[in-house]
Amino acid sequence: DKGEYRHFMLKEIYEQPRVIKATMEGRITKTRVLEQALGTDAANLLENVRHVQIIACGTSFHAGMVARYWIEDLAGVPCSVEVASEFRYRKHVIQPDTLFLCISQSGETADTLAALRQAKKAGFRAAMAICNVPGSSLVRESDLVIMTQAGPEIGVASTKAFTTQLTALLIFTVALARHNGLSEEKEAEIVAALHQLPGQVSDVLALDAEIEDMSKAFMDKNHSLFLGRGSQYPVAMEGALKLKEISYIHAEAYPAGELKHGPLALVDSEMPVVTVAPNNALVEKLKSNLEEVRARGGELFVFADRAADVKPEDGVHVMQLPSVHEITAPIVYTVPLQLLSYHVAVLKGTDVDQPRNLAKSVTVE
Ligand code: M6R
């Protein structure tokens, strides 16, 4: 039931503060992650993990891409991320002390399951799943499971599944990092940032009308670029996927530093450039990328931390977001991009909840 909402996608975007909270419930205290809440055997399975191999498709793959930044940064454990359909069809090397982590909303994606089954033959330390559907094949076939508490996701475009996957992945990362020297102080800092998330996502939802206004600029465009740096690069990828999936506008994501290495040639007044710019160490570098775009007449749509001090000017539209902790920023910054693509699709009159050619769950190759 869509209730008061026009589409399931919009309803699911608005459910995020609640379902993110539900995904944290029972898994964190005020200051700590409760490792045993991840599974009675979690402590044993996470000890001596020397490598994490993440496998997923689509939006879930983007969640894995964000997690890689977290895992290497906080746990200092090397992490590889690959789309399932690539992994399963190539010769791969899996070390025995690898944690094999599959991320899937449905738990029934054929390529992800095939990758897991194949990897089992090669041997690894443990199979872990981040999944939204209890009793799914993925859940049944994994040693360690963190269920996202997103509830049923009806819209084909994944929204609340993604942000709850990220929430679960951050909790998992802290648990893993604790086995690898994460200080209690740092843990408390991240857990405090987690507690702030539902409120911060609500603050972003309050910008809906402004984002709807912004969306008008995309209506008659055929192409767009999405830029981000660091853990915001996968956020840009996810933003681009949302836009192409439901509005059928060609959208490509680039790590901002790659701009000069090719895509800058595409930039002109017909190419809107969307950028996510939280106030982290990379923001100054990002600002110079923005100037490169501006100098070529490209119109910029910047989602930035209030504190980042990105100034609106002619051709530069700035949406100021609440100040957030760098670690949780990818979760918060996803939300305005979801709203942007939603409103563009509504304006274009596409079938938002059931985009052409797509299925909610890809259970065939
Ligand atoms: O159920 P899964 O998370 O395994 O599904 C993976 C992808 O098919 C899925 O995320 C797809 O990319 C979404 N439609 C994106 O919005």
Side-chain angles (χ1 to χ4, degrees):
D1 179 23
K2 292 191 285 241
E4 62 190 285
Y5 295 96
R6 188 165 162 198
H7 296 100
F8 279 107
M9 182 182 178
L10 189 63
K11 172 174 178 263
E12 289 163 2
I13 289 172
Y14 271 83
E15 280 172 349
Q16 290 176 112
R18 182 176 59 77
V19 293
I20 288 171
K21 193 157 182 272
T23 301
M24 300 189 298
E25 230 140 55
R27 294 175 172 148
I28 54 176
T29 66
K30 241 176 143 186
T31 53
R32 304 215 72 190
V33 162
L34 295 166
E35 190 179 33
Q36 64 275 25
L38 309 186
T40 41
D41 209 20
N44 173 39
L45 292 174
L46 296 186
E47 184 69 32
N48 297 322
V49 165
R50 295 281 163 265
H51 180 229
V52 179
Q53 173 69 63
I54 299 179
I55 294 294
C57 303
T59 290
S60 299
F61 169 70
H62 297 153
M65 291 275 293
V66 174
R68 178 167 65 129
Y69 288 89
W70 288 338
I71 291 167
E72 297 210 350
D73 179 15
L74 298 172
V77 174
C79 175
S80 319
V81 193
E82 194 165 345
V83 290
S85 57
E86 283 299 312
F87 180 87
R88 66 177 289 201
Y89 291 117
R90 71 177 179 89
K91 185 163 182 279
H92 39 251
V93 181
I94 306 175
Q95 285 154 22
D97 45 11
T98 295
L99 181 73
F100 197 81
L101 169 51
C102 292
I103 308 170
S104 172
Q105 188 283 130
S106 62
E108 301 296 348
T109 299
D111 284 326
T112 307
L113 290 171
L116 170 63
R117 289 168 190 157
Q118 247 191 40
K120 276 192 174 167
K121 290 187 200 137
F124 47 68
R125 180 164 177 80
M128 182 171 150
I130 306 261
C131 191
N132 195 42
V133 178
S136 60
S137 306
L138 179 63
V139 166
R140 282 184 275 116
E141 294 178 34
S142 302
D143 307 309
L144 200 61
V145 177
I146 307 185
M147 296 305 302
T148 47
Q149 301 294 338
E153 192 181 59
I154 309 295
V156 165
S158 186
T159 53
K160 62 177 180 169
F162 180 69
T163 47
T164 54
Q165 282 167 348
L166 289 178
T167 306
L169 283 161
L170 184 51
I171 292 171
F172 152 73
T173 302
V174 171
L176 180 68
R178 225 198 264 162
H179 290 269
N180 293 277
L182 184 78
S183 70
E184 264 184 47
E185 208 184 346
K186 186 77 188 168
E187 177 171 352
E189 183 190 318
I190 297 165
V191 172
L194 276 165
H195 282 295
Q196 287 189 316
L197 264 178
Q200 290 166 338
V201 171
S202 295
D203 291 346
V204 173
L205 292 173
L207 300 171
D208 195 7
E210 277 174 70
I211 296 171
E212 182 175 3
D213 207 40
M214 195 184 242
S215 70
K216 292 175 189 147
F218 290 76
M219 238 193 98
D220 59 345
K221 296 289 187 291
N222 297 312
H223 305 276
S224 59
L225 277 180
F226 282 68
L227 303 178
R229 275 182 180 267
S231 59
Q232 296 284 348
Y233 166 47
V235 172
M237 294 169 80
E238 174 58 11
L241 178 63
K242 289 289 91 91
L243 192 68
K244 57 189 140 191
E245 199 174 17
I246 60 169
S247 77
Y248 315 146
I249 294 175
H250 172 217
E252 258 193 279
Y254 270 94
E258 276 290 293
L259 196 59
K260 290 194 201 47
H261 299 282
L264 196 55
L266 290 170
V267 173
D268 63 13
S269 59
E270 287 307 297
M271 176 72 96
V273 179
V274 180
T275 305
V276 275
N279 190 26
N280 62 22
L282 297 173
V283 84
E284 284 309 314
K285 280 198 184 305
L286 197 87
K287 280 187 191 169
S288 72
N289 300 139
L290 300 187
E291 277 160 30
E292 289 162 1
V293 169
R294 206 42 221 131
R296 274 126 197 122
E299 202 165 348
L300 273 162
F301 299 85
V302 186
F303 294 87
D305 191 311
R306 241 176 246 132
D309 196 31
V310 182
K311 299 224 166 27
E313 50 179 280
D314 196 29
V316 183
H317 311 269
V318 181
M319 184 74 57
Q320 292 198 327
L321 300 195
S323 287
V324 294
H325 193 288
E326 192 185 329
I327 285 284
T328 46
I331 304 176
V332 178
Y333 277 69
T334 295
V335 179
L337 301 188
Q338 295 169 341
L339 286 169
L340 179 68
S341 57
Y342 172 77
H343 289 299
V344 176
V346 169
L347 281 176
K348 292 195 70 174
T350 59
D351 189 343
V352 172
D353 286 331
Q354 188 51 258
R356 66 187 186 197
N357 310 339
L358 298 178
K360 181 65 187 161
S361 185
V362 185
T363 53
V364 291
E365 274 191 40

